[in-house]
Amino acid sequence: MNWNKIGRNERCPCGSGKKYKHCCGQNDEWAFDRKELLRGQILEAVKNQLRDGDPPETKQTYDRLLAEGYSEEQVMHQIGSALLCEMSIVLRYQTPFDRKRYASYLNKLPAPPWSEEINTA
């Protein structure tokens, strides 16, 4: 069963014969699980960037936001939002990861990284 790629109007993969939205899709637990999985993966990527020091802007941003009074959890989520923003562009526009663009998102934190026009050139 591939629960990750099911549409609301498709047959439920549980085998009931009902549409997903009238069966297991009524319970938002599956969507919650996927969101939590994605959140965990993004935070793991941020931890890896901090551990490896690559890119160095991640650690610089981490230290700066902590010094500004944000909690470690808030800092991790803010950096994660910048990473997610860059990953979204990579997937949507089929472009390579752009370190400069990602660093610009990090430098603008705590402002939301999506608060400006996206440059994919």
Side-chain angles (χ1 to χ4, degrees):
M1 285 188 264
N2 187 353
W3 292 90
N4 291 324
K5 294 188 177 188
I6 188 149
R8 291 183 37 79
N9 288 314
E10 293 179 38
R11 297 282 172 212
C12 190
C14 76
S16 69
K18 298 178 183 179
K19 287 185 177 182
Y20 179 70
K21 67 182 178 183
H22 296 299
C23 191
C24 295
Q26 288 182 334
N27 181 353
D28 200 36
E29 181 179 327
W30 299 111
F32 178 78
D33 288 346
R34 289 191 301 264
K35 287 178 189 175
E36 286 302 308
L37 178 63
L38 177 60
R39 182 176 294 131
Q41 294 298 313
I42 293 293
L43 292 176
E44 185 69 26
V46 171
K47 288 177 187 175
N48 291 343
Q49 288 181 356
L50 291 169
R51 180 196 66 219
D52 299 342
D54 185 28
E57 293 86 358
T58 302
K59 177 71 166 120
Q60 293 164 359
T61 302
Y62 179 85
D63 292 340
R64 176 177 55 82
L65 292 172
L66 284 176
E68 290 177 12
Y70 292 95
S71 71
E72 183 176 8
E73 182 181 8
Q74 290 171 318
V75 171
M76 293 297 286
H77 283 276
Q78 288 180 31
I79 294 172
S81 70
L83 180 58
L84 186 57
C85 220
E86 176 58 24
M87 290 172 54
S88 295
I89 292 169
V90 167
L91 293 171
R92 173 183 254 172
Y93 299 106
Q94 302 287 304
T95 62
F97 185 87
D98 186 324
R99 291 176 69 104
K100 281 185 167 182
R101 185 174 51 224
Y102 177 53
S104 76
Y105 294 152
L106 291 171
N107 290 331
K108 290 182 177 116
L109 291 174
W114 57 86
S115 63
E116 68 174 42
E117 188 174 316
I118 295 171
N119 179 10
T120 59

Short mmCIF file of all heavy atoms in Angstrom, two decimals, residues 4 35 39 94 121:
data_model
loop_
_atom_site.label_atom_id
_atom_site.label_comp_id
_atom_site.label_asym_id
_atom_site.label_seq_id
_atom_site.Cartn_x
_atom_site.Cartn_y
_atom_site.Cartn_z
N ASN A 4 1.34 7.40 0.61
CA ASN A 4 1.85 8.74 0.35
C ASN A 4 1.33 9.37 -0.93
O ASN A 4 1.34 10.57 -1.06
CB ASN A 4 3.38 8.73 0.32
CG ASN A 4 3.96 8.46 1.68
OD1 ASN A 4 3.42 8.91 2.68
ND2 ASN A 4 5.05 7.73 1.72
N LYS A 35 3.32 14.67 7.52
CA LYS A 35 3.87 15.98 7.88
C LYS A 35 4.97 15.81 8.93
O LYS A 35 6.01 16.46 8.86
CB LYS A 35 2.78 16.91 8.42
CG LYS A 35 1.85 17.42 7.36
CD LYS A 35 0.77 18.29 7.99
CE LYS A 35 -0.31 18.65 7.01
NZ LYS A 35 -1.41 19.38 7.65
N ARG A 39 8.81 16.84 8.51
CA ARG A 39 9.43 17.75 9.49
C ARG A 39 10.68 17.11 10.08
O ARG A 39 11.73 17.75 10.22
CB ARG A 39 8.44 18.09 10.59
CG ARG A 39 8.99 19.06 11.62
CD ARG A 39 7.96 19.46 12.65
NE ARG A 39 6.92 20.23 11.99
CZ ARG A 39 5.62 20.01 12.11
NH1 ARG A 39 5.18 19.03 12.88
NH2 ARG A 39 4.74 20.74 11.47
N GLN A 94 12.90 22.23 -11.26
CA GLN A 94 13.88 21.27 -11.74
C GLN A 94 15.26 21.92 -11.91
O GLN A 94 15.92 21.76 -12.94
CB GLN A 94 13.43 20.65 -13.08
CG GLN A 94 12.08 19.96 -13.02
CD GLN A 94 12.16 18.65 -12.27
OE1 GLN A 94 12.94 17.79 -12.62
NE2 GLN A 94 11.36 18.50 -11.22
N ALA A 121 16.83 31.98 -11.61
CA ALA A 121 17.83 32.09 -12.68
C ALA A 121 19.19 31.71 -12.18
O ALA A 121 19.53 31.75 -11.07
CB ALA A 121 17.85 33.51 -13.22
#
